[in-house]
Amino acid sequence: MNAAVTSWIEEMAKLTKPDRIVWVDGSEEERERLTAEAMATGELHRLNQEKLPGCVLHRTAPNDVARVEHLTFICTRKKEDAGPTNNWMAPEEAYRRLGEIFDGSMRGRTMYVVPYLMGIPGSPFSKVGIELTDSIYVVLNMRIMTRMGRVALAELGESADFLRGLHSKADLNPERRFICHFPEDNTIWSVGSGYGGNGLLGKKCFALRIASYMGRQEGWMDEHMLIVGIEDPAGNVSYVAAAFPSACGKTNLAMMIPPAPFRAAGYKVWTVGDDIAWMRIGPDGRLWAINPETGFFGVAPGTSYKTNPMAMETVRRDTIFTNVVLTPEGTVWWEGMDEEPPAQGLDWQGRPWTPASGEKGAHPNARFTAPAKNCPIISPEWENPRGVPISAIVFGGRRARVAPLVYQSFDWEHGVYVGASMASETTTAAAGKVGVVRRDPMAMLPFCGYNMGDYFAHWLEMGRRIPNPPKIFHVNWFRTDEAGRFLWPGYGENFRVIKWILDRCQGRGEARETPIGYVPTEEGIDLTGLDLDRETMRHLLAVDREAWLGDLEDQETFFARFDRLPPAIHGQMEALRRRLGG
Ligand code: OXD
Ligand code: MN
């Protein structure tokens, strides 16, 4: 037994006082046992095993349905090290305040010891964590989302280098809910929530917040990015990593199906990951990426055979559904699934529901947790310990105006500025108002575990160190006309834009130079088989000088908050202003 592990567990058990401690091993037998136990207590609900083999349903507490950014803290010794965009609490205070809530919180419960690996066994990218939790739902989710159990302990060996994660639902009281990160201690304490983003400590808490801190220390990049491979008709596969704020279609893009003419020509899409990329400089001077997870924790509403057929195939077995509608035949439904809604069912809170009620049946942030290996187009390279080489980095947001469909940055430094000034209209993945424009640099605003000014500096520094860096782009699938209708069809059609991006990486692809970067010419994007008129395309690719100057005002206010903004970011902003003639 690893002494560092056992003494830490003893200490945490002394605090939380569980009735028993159970080590999980990741076996099939264990999954069955824990599932049966959770069904007996109502934590999980049975689904129709003929139609949805291996699937279960979970309902969270109604006040516990999303990440809680206002209760999420970075607890560094110095406040400046958490930076202006994170909530901060002094480590001693956080340990004391949360310690009081954790004290005895597992009385009458079992503490599960969940060793897990983020990354691929034997890969230089990989990191071990151990999560102590009193939630079977969390254990079963971690089993899908990470390499859990024996494999992680084998990777750890006698080392004391593991992420110490303590999680308790406690009394699920939002007044006593905190998600605290201690990057300097390799520790996470999360209490009072059972929701995935707050309780599955391997994901947002470790693989993004803590890992971002590690990446800066160790000279690699931890990003909120999907990874997707595009195979051309000659069989060459190029990889793209793309960052979008939560609920902007990352999972859809990671699994898109190319439009028919491209499929017929021999193009294929391969999914590597849908949420997180860990990227290192490879021996060949390119940037290589892995997906540290093993599953998808995707937003269910809006997922359909039209928007994401591969996700629909993925969730047909061995999936945990959270906060969706339960139909009378024991299957699941959510808004935006193409099938007709059931005539009646139980809503996400387990209340009788009919479509006529006018209420949403599924929570807008309802989720599926599904194994990556279920995905019919999972990349043959997704478990390659070396990762995959990245040709293009893509940033994107949900903007009704301003940003054109796609543009390419002039160079790495300009690209870092494009990422840093990214903005999006808010959605439901985090609690709070919907539809407000918020600036979300690299889609990392809620996930950067240290001062975001230092994070920009780290990006700039990486650009100096990568001999053959990816090209950097920005996309916006969400531009609308005056009446608020989307101009671009999106989903699988986004393949056309990604193809232009890869063409640009290979020195092809028609573009014109504009003040904001290289924008495709009207013929630049292959529209074969798509009924989209010239006028719409012109609108999609337009660079509206006034709108951009207005956006710069907002950027200025945003960047003014940063105490450690690298001069290069400000310089890029001023250079854009000059190019716009402002
Ligand atoms: C997610 C998120 O759950 O970004 O992936 O909120
Ligand atoms: Mn995400």
Side-chain angles (χ1 to χ4, degrees):
M1 264 300 125
N2 179 320
V5 173
T6 45
S7 69
W8 170 68
I9 294 175
E10 238 168 70
E11 198 190 325
M12 295 303 105
K14 218 178 260 168
L15 174 64
T16 55
K17 306 178 180 64
D19 280 14
R20 65 200 90 65
I21 299 178
V22 171
W23 287 66
V24 304
D25 60 16
S27 66
E28 191 52 36
E29 176 278 322
E30 175 181 85
R31 178 175 84 109
E32 281 165 23
R33 180 165 40 80
L34 291 178
T35 303
E37 212 173 295
M39 287 197 179
T41 61
E43 189 176 349
L44 291 178
H45 302 271
R46 187 176 301 283
L47 291 171
N48 184 325
Q49 293 302 295
E50 244 160 64
K51 299 210 156 143
L52 295 168
C55 296
V56 292
L57 167 69
H58 172 75
R59 300 190 186 106
T60 66
N63 69 23
D64 187 28
V65 292
R67 288 184 289 102
V68 280
E69 289 173 12
H70 64 293
L71 301 174
T72 299
F73 291 82
I74 301 297
C75 307
T76 43
R77 278 189 294 278
K78 290 203 216 110
K79 183 166 195 251
E80 315 83 88
D81 291 339
T85 59
N86 281 311
N87 300 313
W88 175 81
M89 208 189 292
E92 320 77 69
E93 186 192 346
Y95 285 129
R96 184 183 51 74
R97 281 176 70 183
L98 275 70
E100 284 167 12
I101 308 173
F102 273 119
D103 191 353
S105 66
M106 296 192 191
R107 220 175 250 128
R109 299 181 185 173
T110 301
M111 172 195 271
Y112 296 95
V113 178
V114 185
Y116 62 95
L117 182 64
M118 301 311 297
I120 297 144
S123 165
F125 289 88
S126 297
K127 303 273 180 198
V128 173
I130 300 183
E131 175 165 356
L132 308 178
T133 180
D134 55 8
S135 160
I136 294 183
Y137 171 73
V138 164
V139 175
L140 293 174
N141 272 271
M142 289 292 283
R143 190 177 189 281
I144 296 174
M145 297 304 295
T146 72
R147 294 169 177 87
M148 182 184 101
R150 289 184 204 285
V151 57
L153 287 180
E155 193 83 8
L156 183 63
E158 287 308 306
S159 168
D161 184 13
F162 64 96
L163 190 286
R164 290 149 174 76
L166 178 64
H167 170 253
S168 172
K169 294 180 286 189
D171 52 6
L172 291 176
N173 179 349
E175 303 293 314
R176 287 153 45 88
R177 178 174 296 161
F178 291 99
I179 325 294
C180 286
H181 305 71
F182 306 86
E184 291 153 351
D185 303 345
N186 218 3
T187 293
I188 302 163
W189 279 17
S190 166
V191 71
S193 169
Y195 171 75
N198 305 325
L200 309 181
L201 301 188
K203 191 176 180 61
K204 300 300 186 182
C205 299
F206 182 6
L208 284 176
R209 296 193 191 97
I210 298 285
S212 66
Y213 176 89
M214 292 174 163
R216 172 154 180 263
Q217 307 267 315
E218 298 166 8
W220 53 278
M221 300 173 81
D222 163 47
E223 300 301 330
H224 189 200
M225 290 180 180
L226 66 93
I227 309 167
V228 66
I230 310 293
E231 182 174 333
D232 70 15
N236 306 307
V237 187
S238 308
Y239 295 90
V240 174
F244 296 81
S246 306
C248 280
K250 291 226 309 290
T251 306
N252 295 347
L253 188 63
M255 299 179 192
M256 73 191 150
I257 301 287
F262 295 91
R263 288 205 304 277
Y267 284 97
K268 290 196 182 100
V269 168
W270 297 108
T271 307
V272 179
D274 80 329
D275 197 40
I276 301 174
W278 286 2
M279 305 193 282
R280 288 174 181 260
I281 304 171
D284 63 354
R286 289 188 291 175
L287 193 61
W288 290 69
I290 63 149
N291 165 15
E293 303 187 283
T294 54
F296 308 119
F297 182 64
V299 179
T303 305
S304 70
Y305 272 98
K306 176 168 165 282
T307 62
N308 193 339
M310 293 300 106
M312 294 300 281
E313 288 297 318
T314 303
V315 305
R316 289 169 67 137
R317 56 180 61 245
D318 301 325
T319 295
I320 301 173
F321 295 97
T322 302
N323 291 345
V324 298
V325 172
L326 175 64
T327 74
E329 56 170 348
T331 59
V332 294
W333 187 85
W334 49 77
E335 280 72 17
M337 193 194 254
D338 18 0
E339 277 155 52
E340 281 290 296
Q344 53 169 330
L346 296 182
D347 75 0
W348 66 276
Q349 297 188 61
R351 301 173 304 195
W353 170 88
T354 67
S357 68
E359 304 263 326
K360 288 214 188 309
H363 187 276
N365 193 34
R367 298 277 176 152
F368 53 77
T369 318
K373 63 177 190 298
N374 280 10
C375 178
I377 55 168
I378 194 75
S379 164
E381 293 297 310
W382 87 282
E383 297 199 277
N384 187 332
R386 280 182 312 154
V388 295
I390 300 298
S391 300
I393 286 177
V394 176
F395 296 119
R398 182 182 279 273
R399 298 301 300 271
R401 310 198 192 300
V402 190
L405 180 61
V406 58
Y407 63 101
Q408 179 184 0
S409 66
F410 294 118
D411 54 31
W412 182 272
E413 185 182 294
H414 179 229
V416 174
Y417 161 70
V418 167
S421 57
M422 230 170 97
S424 195
E425 283 143 35
T426 50
T427 61
T428 54
K433 263 192 162 166
V434 173
V436 181
V437 171
R438 100 161 174 179
R439 306 217 83 90
D440 187 353
M442 285 83 170
M444 281 290 277
L445 190 75
F447 306 120
C448 184
Y450 60 101
N451 188 310
M452 215 162 194
D454 294 340
Y455 168 78
F456 299 148
H458 179 50
W459 264 85
L460 294 165
E461 167 66 18
M462 287 299 293
R464 287 187 282 273
R465 288 186 39 224
I466 309 170
N468 190 0
K471 304 264 188 289
I472 303 180
F473 298 80
H474 186 281
V475 301
N476 176 23
W477 317 132
F478 302 95
R479 201 153 170 165
T480 58
D481 64 12
E482 301 309 319
R485 281 182 301 251
F486 292 117
L487 292 166
W488 179 250
Y491 306 112
E493 305 297 343
N494 294 339
F495 177 87
R496 301 171 190 273
V497 175
I498 300 297
K499 178 164 180 302
W500 179 82
I501 285 172
L502 289 174
D503 285 349
R504 291 294 292 170
C505 294
Q506 287 153 12
R508 302 192 305 266
E510 295 291 316
R512 65 191 169 98
E513 190 173 332
T514 77
I516 63 164
Y518 300 107
V519 174
T521 59
E522 276 165 41
E523 293 76 35
I525 295 182
D526 188 342
L527 297 181
T528 310
L530 181 64
D531 185 17
L532 196 84
D533 60 63
R534 280 248 163 174
E535 188 47 39
T536 306
M537 205 57 202
R538 210 168 294 143
H539 204 131
L540 277 163
L541 297 175
V543 178
D544 177 343
R545 192 177 153 273
E546 289 308 315
W548 276 95
L549 286 171
D551 200 65
L552 274 174
E553 301 280 301
D554 188 60
Q555 288 186 27
E556 196 134 27
T557 315
F558 177 70
F559 285 132
R561 300 162 62 199
F562 287 82
D563 51 338
R564 296 185 190 166
L565 190 72
I569 299 294
H570 202 261
Q572 286 288 341
M573 190 166 71
E574 287 314 312
L576 172 59
R577 194 191 303 281
R578 277 195 304 278
R579 291 194 300 269
L580 288 163

